[in-house]
Amino acid sequence: MKMKAAVFEKPGVISIKEVPIPEINDDEVLIRVKYTGICGTDWSIYTGAYSADKLPMIAGHEFSGVIAKVGKNAEGLKEGDRVTADINMSCGVCFYCRRGQKLMCRSFTQLGIHIDGSYAEYVKAPWDQVHLLPDNLDFETGAFIEPVSCVIHSSKAMNVKIGSSVAVIGCGLGILHSVLAMLRGAAPVIIIGDNEKRLNIAKEMGVDYIININETKDVISAVKDITCGRGADYVIEAVGTPKTYEQAFEMVRPGGTVAAFGICPPDAEIRIKPYDLVLGEKNVAGSCAGVGVDWLDAIALLAHGRIAARKMFSMAVPLEDLEWALKELKSDPNLIKVFASPELKERKVY
Ligand SMILES: [Zn+2]
Ligand SMILES: [Zn+2]
């Protein structure tokens, strides 16, 4: 049996072609894919900056779908169930796994990043990684659970206290970070970005202050002005450039915490004064993905309307247009979340 898939053949080449439908073992389920959210990581795989040694591969790791087949050992799941799946797989027995830090596992594997994912008609996943979608979550929002889980993981690592000031650098997933900070009782919440449309969406979602770097040259002073001259209690870096990381350490107050979320190239370096870390008692909270219970928490927040996710949805395209959409996302900063679907015949704008 064959299916349509977008195969990332080698850097710069995606081909839409017929490939075998994945065969499942007793511990897996086969999912008929509805939507896959297109992510910056997909761009990095496309350009060869990430996972180049894993190609050819079907990418796609933010997905929703319907169970088409269940393995013998899959408990509580049946054909027709609406689902998504935690993409993070680990050995379960190493030093890190035994301490509940499976993201650090030496054999850490992510579906759609290291092994075949969901830019296809079908994807398989271990049954115990599968999460049922509540009835009121549409499939696009189901495909948005993964990025929300990542932001929740970061939010937990940072552990914002009620009444604290939070500055978020970046207005992509930065918008979600801002919403999470508000949900934790932070005040004020400040978002810093370069795109009017995205910043306005953040404002609509309740962020207190937006700082557009095209209009405000000195963002450090701008954040200090809002926080009684001290700097923010927490700063979240959600861009992934050395410059914005350096800004994060400058705009966090003494005793405050910087959350490292944006991904820089592996060899990028930043300049920080150790003096400021010691005398200023500044902290760093790193986090790289949403895992385990973060997925349940993401589902709970989305199902109960705590995150107006649909405001961030821009467009959905047929799977055949994936390569076009990847490029479009790079060139049009007004696009936020774009989905690809093997079932769509034409583009759909939200
Ligand atoms: Zn992603
Ligand atoms: Zn392990």
Side-chain angles (χ1 to χ4, degrees):
M1 288 280 279
K2 298 274 190 180
M3 66 171 184
K4 178 173 65 180
V7 180
F8 289 52
E9 306 276 9
K10 56 185 182 185
V13 181
I14 295 174
S15 53
I16 305 291
K17 62 184 191 188
E18 297 274 300
V19 300
I21 293 178
E23 299 214 5
I24 58 165
N25 64 29
D26 292 347
D27 293 313
E28 292 173 326
V29 299
L30 185 70
I31 299 164
R32 184 158 57 82
V33 177
K34 288 287 185 182
Y35 285 93
T36 301
I38 303 176
C39 169
T41 305
D42 298 322
W43 177 258
S44 299
I45 297 171
Y46 176 60
T47 59
Y50 199 68
S51 276
D53 57 328
K54 304 289 192 288
L55 306 185
M57 181 185 79
I58 301 167
H61 61 273
E62 307 178 358
F63 63 92
S64 61
V66 175
I67 293 186
K69 205 193 239 183
V70 290
K72 267 216 301 279
N73 300 334
E75 282 173 40
L77 297 172
K78 61 180 189 310
E79 223 175 281
D81 281 344
R82 303 162 70 255
V83 295
T84 184
D86 184 341
I87 60 166
N88 303 290
M89 289 169 261
S90 62
C91 75
V93 295
C94 73
F95 174 91
Y96 295 104
C97 285
R98 287 181 192 272
R99 281 157 186 79
Q101 295 176 301
K102 72 188 266 193
L103 296 173
M104 309 294 111
C105 174
R106 297 303 292 273
S107 48
F108 179 59
T109 303
Q110 289 177 303
L111 200 152
I113 296 175
H114 308 109
I115 57 171
D116 281 346
S118 63
Y119 287 130
E121 287 178 290
Y122 293 91
V123 62
K124 67 174 182 177
W127 76 268
D128 56 358
Q129 306 262 125
V130 169
H131 294 284
L132 292 170
L133 300 182
D135 290 341
N136 68 336
L137 277 199
D138 53 62
F139 284 114
E140 289 96 323
T141 307
F144 200 58
I145 292 167
E146 194 274 342
V148 173
S149 77
C150 293
V151 172
I152 287 176
H153 193 78
S154 170
S155 177
K156 289 175 184 170
M158 193 172 61
N159 197 18
V160 166
K161 306 285 190 301
I162 196 164
S164 312
S165 55
V166 173
V168 182
I169 308 176
C171 55
L173 282 185
I175 299 174
L176 275 183
H177 280 283
S178 306
V179 173
L180 256 289
M182 290 187 289
L183 289 173
R184 293 185 80 114
V189 176
I190 306 158
I191 189 166
I192 301 154
D194 60 358
N195 180 268
E196 186 85 23
K197 185 173 170 187
R198 289 166 175 236
L199 290 170
N200 283 333
I201 289 172
K203 187 98 196 169
E204 276 175 35
M205 290 169 95
V207 173
D208 301 292
Y209 295 94
I210 60 175
I211 298 176
N212 188 332
I213 59 169
N214 299 316
E215 289 152 19
T216 306
K217 284 285 161 273
D218 186 351
V219 291
I220 314 285
S221 301
V223 169
K224 288 190 172 168
D225 286 347
I226 297 167
T227 53
C228 307
R230 287 188 295 267
D233 298 326
Y234 298 85
V235 178
I236 301 160
E237 204 288 352
V239 178
T241 65
K243 184 182 169 201
T244 40
Y245 268 99
E246 287 170 4
Q247 286 177 335
F249 282 97
E250 283 181 64
M251 70 175 70
V252 74
R253 72 159 168 83
T257 299
V258 170
F261 186 84
I263 300 178
C264 293
D267 55 350
E269 292 176 351
I270 57 169
R271 291 159 61 92
I272 338 176
K273 297 193 185 94
Y275 183 89
D276 289 345
L277 295 185
V278 177
L279 279 288
E281 295 199 344
K282 293 181 178 178
N283 308 290
V284 189
S287 83
C288 84
V291 66
V293 69
D294 301 330
W295 285 69
L296 295 174
D297 297 338
I299 291 168
L301 292 182
L302 288 165
H304 294 282
R306 294 297 193 276
I307 301 171
R310 287 195 80 89
K311 282 188 190 297
M312 296 176 67
F313 298 174
S314 305
M315 176 169 64
V317 304
L319 189 61
E320 288 79 359
D321 290 350
L322 174 62
E323 193 166 4
W324 173 83
L326 278 166
K327 290 179 180 161
E328 200 66 11
L329 271 163
K330 273 286 144 182
S331 61
D332 182 357
N334 287 323
L335 294 173
I336 306 181
K337 186 47 82 180
V338 176
F339 301 94
S341 169
E343 293 183 353
L344 277 184
K345 295 278 171 279
E346 52 194 50
R347 288 173 200 159
K348 178 160 103 177
V349 174
Y350 296 102

